[in-house]
């Protein structure tokens, strides 16, 4: 089975029935302290590469989106509109919806950024990325998605997109980051999730109506950009 740097870090090797001689645990004891230096180097490399990124929007979406699909066209339109509004576009740098957003930004003359990740299967940065950074560790990469963005936009996607969406929601809800808009682009795709949140989580008391208000659902790229620019203007005004 193919492994990754993340997996080797997170496999504990403690009481592992598949490792009766404790070889994995011994490897952990020997190598984990040195892995800290590799983790540190990823943060340093990311901060250095992204240091001159000013206004930017992070776009998430499925790597499985095909170039012939309406979702791909929506991603291209979104990337172009964000570039026209003066925002760099940050994606995971892969194919599908990520490629679409990078393509739209690049074709509009904007900055197109891809933050890649080591995976067990081959995935390289798409051809539309003009600033690319590859990461071994998901948590280092996720920091870059958040640190340099003024908004998040989620195109239709799977588990990875859901992970990134709910992490963004948690960071905003707990005030770990300045409140910025989180837009779900594609109402038909996202409505079921929103219905579950409002119909199950809110009545159960596990989230509040105010938490739900952190999400904006729309089919319109123009409305998405308007939500982002109005939020940026409010934050700028409050900082004066």
């Amino acid at each position: 089975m193919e492994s990754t740097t993340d997996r080797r870090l997170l496999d504990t090797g403690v009481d592992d029935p598949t490792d009766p001689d404790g070889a994995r645990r011994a490897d952990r004891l020997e190598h984990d302290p040195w892995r800290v230096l590799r983790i540190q180097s990823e943060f340093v490399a990311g901060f250095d590469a992204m240091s001159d990124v000013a206004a930017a929007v992070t776009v998430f979406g499925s790597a499985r989106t095909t170039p012939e699909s309406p979702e791909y066209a929506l991603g291209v339109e979104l990337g172009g509109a964000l570039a026209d509004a003066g925002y760099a576009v940050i994606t995971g740098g892969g194919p599908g919806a990520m490629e679409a957003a990078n393509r739209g930004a690049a074709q509009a003359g904007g900055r197109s950024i891809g933050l890649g990740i080591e995976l067990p299967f081959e995935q390289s940065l798409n051809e539309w990325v003009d600033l690319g950074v590859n990461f071994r560790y998901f948590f280092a990469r996720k920091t870059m998605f958040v640190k340099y963005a003024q908004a998040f936009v989620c195109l239709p996607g799977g588990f990875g997109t859901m992970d990134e969406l709910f992490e963004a929601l948690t960071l905003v809800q707990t005030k770990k980051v300045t409140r910025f808009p989180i837009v779900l682009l594609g109402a038909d795709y996202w409505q079921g999730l929103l219905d579950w949140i409002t119909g199950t989580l809110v009545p159960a008391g596990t989230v509040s109506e105010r938490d739900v208000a952190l999400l904006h659902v729309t089919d319109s790229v123009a409305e998405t950009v308007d939500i982002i620019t109005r939020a940026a203007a409010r934050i700028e005004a409050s900082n004066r």
Side-chain angles (χ1 to χ4, degrees):
M1 181 180 293
E2 293 185 64
S3 185
T4 64
T5 309
D6 261 327
R7 178 172 178 168
R8 289 190 293 275
L9 172 68
L10 297 174
D11 276 352
T12 66
V14 176
D15 298 326
D16 185 349
T18 67
D19 186 33
D21 297 326
R24 189 178 298 165
R25 183 175 185 275
D27 176 79
R28 181 188 67 168
L29 291 173
E30 178 181 357
H31 293 104
D32 274 4
W34 296 104
R35 287 186 172 114
V36 173
L37 297 178
R38 176 173 282 178
I39 292 166
Q40 175 181 288
S41 73
E42 291 217 341
F43 280 104
V44 171
F47 291 155
D48 181 61
M50 303 282 285
S51 61
D52 65 342
V53 176
V57 174
T58 295
V59 178
F60 298 122
S62 176
R64 301 181 185 185
T65 300
T66 62
E68 301 79 21
S69 67
E71 292 79 15
Y72 188 96
L74 188 64
V76 173
E77 182 186 355
L78 173 66
L82 290 171
D84 289 342
Y87 290 97
V89 171
I90 303 171
T91 78
M98 295 173 282
E99 176 188 296
N102 284 134
R103 179 176 182 173
Q107 290 180 332
R111 197 159 195 194
S112 179
I113 302 169
L115 307 179
I117 186 69
E118 177 191 49
L119 294 171
F121 44 88
E122 186 68 28
Q123 179 173 301
S124 58
L125 294 175
N126 68 70
E127 64 179 304
W128 301 99
V129 168
D130 58 53
L131 171 59
V133 186
N134 283 300
F135 293 87
R136 293 184 177 93
Y137 296 105
F138 265 109
F139 53 84
R141 179 187 189 228
K142 285 181 175 181
T143 299
M144 307 304 153
F145 281 142
V146 175
K147 179 173 174 60
Y148 297 97
Q150 280 74 58
F152 280 174
V153 180
C154 292
L155 292 160
F159 287 158
T161 302
M162 299 296 173
D163 172 51
E164 291 149 349
L165 165 62
F166 281 104
E167 180 160 18
L169 279 169
T170 301
L171 290 171
V172 175
Q173 178 203 45
T174 56
K175 304 187 188 304
K176 291 293 186 181
V177 296
T178 301
R179 178 167 178 167
F180 54 69
I182 302 168
V183 182
L184 305 179
L185 187 54
D188 286 346
Y189 188 86
W190 293 109
Q191 192 58 51
L193 175 63
L194 193 65
D195 290 343
W196 176 71
I197 292 172
T198 57
T200 300
L201 302 189
V202 173
T206 50
V207 301
S208 69
E209 292 283 359
R210 184 172 61 181
D211 297 330
V212 180
L214 297 174
L215 287 167
H216 305 270
V217 183
T218 181
D219 284 318
S220 168
V221 167
E223 183 181 359
T224 299
V225 176
D226 184 60
I227 289 168
I228 293 168
T229 55
R230 285 191 286 109
R234 285 195 302 270
I235 292 172
E236 183 179 349
S238 68
N239 290 334
R240 289 174 184 163

